[in-house]
Amino acid sequence: MTQSDRFKALLITKGDAGQQVAWTELGLADLMAGDVTVKVSHSTINYKDGLAVTGKSPVVRRFPMIPGIDLAGTVTASEHAEFKAGDHVVLNGWGVGETHMGGYAGMARLKGDWLIPKPDTLTPAETMAIGTAGYTAMLSVLALEAHGITPDRGPVLVTGAAGGVGSVAVSLLSKLGFKVIASTGRPAEADYLKSLGAHEILDRAELSGTPRALGKERWAAAIDSVGSATLANVISQTMYGGTVAACGLAQGMDLPASVAPFILRGVTLAGIDSVMAPKPKRIAAWTRLARDLDRNKLAALTTTHALADVQSLAPQILAGQVRGRVVLEV
Ligand code: NDP
């Protein structure tokens, strides 16, 4: 591709009428500075992409912006020592799709320091089936392991289980031998969640009421993508010495919790951030994903769409209507 070549991109602009989103044609000169140029083959939609594309939350902080916080593709040009033309790479986060032009385009120009080499055993489409949501699920599993959570300690709860983070978390934990309790607001997805390895389905309504300071001890650990009253209920019902990995806010950003589980049961609340996670942590997570995520389950939790469908998918993911993960073919 030469500087004059054109590619399609979804562009968010901001004017007096607010945020506008439209497909357009751009050239490499329209992209932002970076030392690696990538021909994008696949992207995906995460909850945050839904917020960016609909403008429901001020996720995009630079205009114009190409949204898309994840991408997979092939390097076409590189001034970075670690990458050369032809290399297959994966990008998650680092503000891409928020402050740096992102994955919903035929081409991207990025900082090489942000990229990781695509794991050999995963296809580019599989890396986007995992995406930020799946890599965050793995970061959460690593946090539980770092706090000594093993299958013999007791069951592990996953909230928002039928969503992207949740579906990958259920699959990973099940493969690692944990007894998984999957909390969902979609009873129709019970069979789906059991096919991913859930032992038990919990109606999310049970976790969304006013939290008590301490509840019955029900799980040794949890991965929570929901936040708010749900996270407070999850913490209050965690067993003595347990750990809760908090990675999301699908219900809300608040946390109406008591300190009782921390000071009376030694419960640990582990915060999970994928966006600015340092490279060694990312490599560790992707290495474990390549090893520990059942490829058949990954296929079962994935649907594939053309990139052009992203505008109709964005409100659906915010409404909790998207099951598992979505691969977007660019
Ligand atoms: P999804 O929309 O795919 O999944 C979210 C799930 O949460 C839904 O499927 C639903 O699960 C549940 N949910 C939605 N609304 C509510 C509600 N009001 N009350 C209770 N449960 C609800 O999103 P993702 O999996 O992509 O992301 C999940 C969360 O994790 C988001 O908040 C996202 O911003 C955050 N996140 C954070 C990252 C980090 O770096 N910390 C990285 C990636 C994601 P069900 O239907 O099963 O009830």
Side-chain angles (χ1 to χ4, degrees):
M1 178 170 292
T2 66
Q3 195 73 8
S4 60
D5 284 351
R6 313 289 290 169
F7 54 88
K8 275 211 162 133
L10 188 67
L11 200 68
I12 302 181
T13 52
K14 198 174 183 180
D16 293 340
Q19 181 173 306
Q20 307 286 325
V21 189
W23 291 100
T24 187
E25 233 183 47
L26 297 178
L28 288 177
D30 298 311
L31 295 176
M32 293 166 70
D35 49 9
V36 181
T37 306
V38 177
K39 184 169 168 42
V40 181
S41 66
H42 300 81
S43 187
T44 178
I45 182 161
N46 298 276
Y47 191 88
K48 192 186 263 181
D49 297 310
L51 293 173
V53 171
T54 60
K56 260 203 154 174
S57 194
V59 168
V60 175
R61 299 185 302 286
R62 186 260 186 204
F63 297 91
M65 179 52 56
I66 300 169
I69 67 168
D70 286 322
L71 64 89
T74 308
V75 173
T76 59
S78 170
E79 287 159 22
H80 190 280
E82 283 175 43
F83 298 101
K84 59 179 190 317
D87 286 350
H88 297 287
V89 292
V90 177
L91 179 287
N92 308 113
W94 291 115
V96 171
E98 302 178 59
T99 53
H100 188 99
M101 287 179 167
Y104 296 164
M107 299 293 295
R109 195 185 292 113
L110 304 153
K111 289 193 181 156
D113 288 349
W114 295 340
L115 297 171
I116 62 157
K118 181 187 74 60
D120 286 342
T121 54
L122 296 170
T123 65
E126 283 174 327
T127 64
M128 289 298 100
I130 294 167
T132 283
Y135 141 67
T136 300
M138 189 74 236
L139 290 175
S140 302
V141 170
L142 292 173
L144 299 190
E145 289 180 353
H147 287 92
I149 303 298
T150 46
D152 58 306
R153 294 275 300 273
V156 177
L157 173 73
V158 175
T159 62
V165 173
S167 293
V168 177
V170 170
S171 307
L172 281 170
L173 290 166
S174 147
K175 174 89 186 292
L176 293 168
F178 288 95
K179 188 177 172 209
V180 182
I181 304 173
S183 162
T184 184
R186 290 182 266 182
E189 300 298 358
D191 287 344
Y192 160 75
L193 290 167
K194 285 187 174 162
S195 77
L196 298 183
H199 281 69
E200 193 184 323
I201 308 296
L202 185 66
D203 184 341
R204 81 181 191 199
E206 263 196 58
L207 297 173
S208 59
T210 306
R212 293 166 55 187
L214 279 180
K216 185 169 173 264
E217 294 174 75
R218 295 172 78 181
W219 32 80
I223 295 179
D224 175 65
S225 60
V226 171
S228 192
T230 298
L231 176 56
N233 276 299
V234 169
I235 294 167
S236 74
Q237 294 172 66
T238 299
M239 290 172 186
Y240 192 94
T243 297
V244 177
C247 66
L249 43 63
Q251 185 182 13
M253 223 180 187
D254 60 325
L255 179 55
S258 158
V259 296
F262 307 121
I263 62 175
L264 299 177
R265 288 186 183 154
V267 167
T268 297
L269 182 58
I272 307 299
D273 168 61
S274 66
V275 180
M276 302 307 287
K279 202 161 178 176
K281 207 168 184 180
R282 292 168 185 261
I283 303 268
W286 277 99
T287 304
R288 286 287 303 273
L289 282 159
R291 193 189 87 186
D292 292 337
L293 184 57
D294 183 314
R295 224 48 59 77
N296 293 325
K297 286 182 181 169
L298 181 61
L301 64 82
T302 304
T303 49
T304 302
H305 285 261
L307 177 59
D309 294 341
V310 71
Q311 277 173 289
S312 58
L313 289 163
Q316 289 174 31
I317 197 163
L318 297 186
Q321 291 165 353
V322 170
R323 180 174 95 174
R325 298 276 306 133
V326 174
V327 170
L328 296 172
E329 291 178 334
V330 177

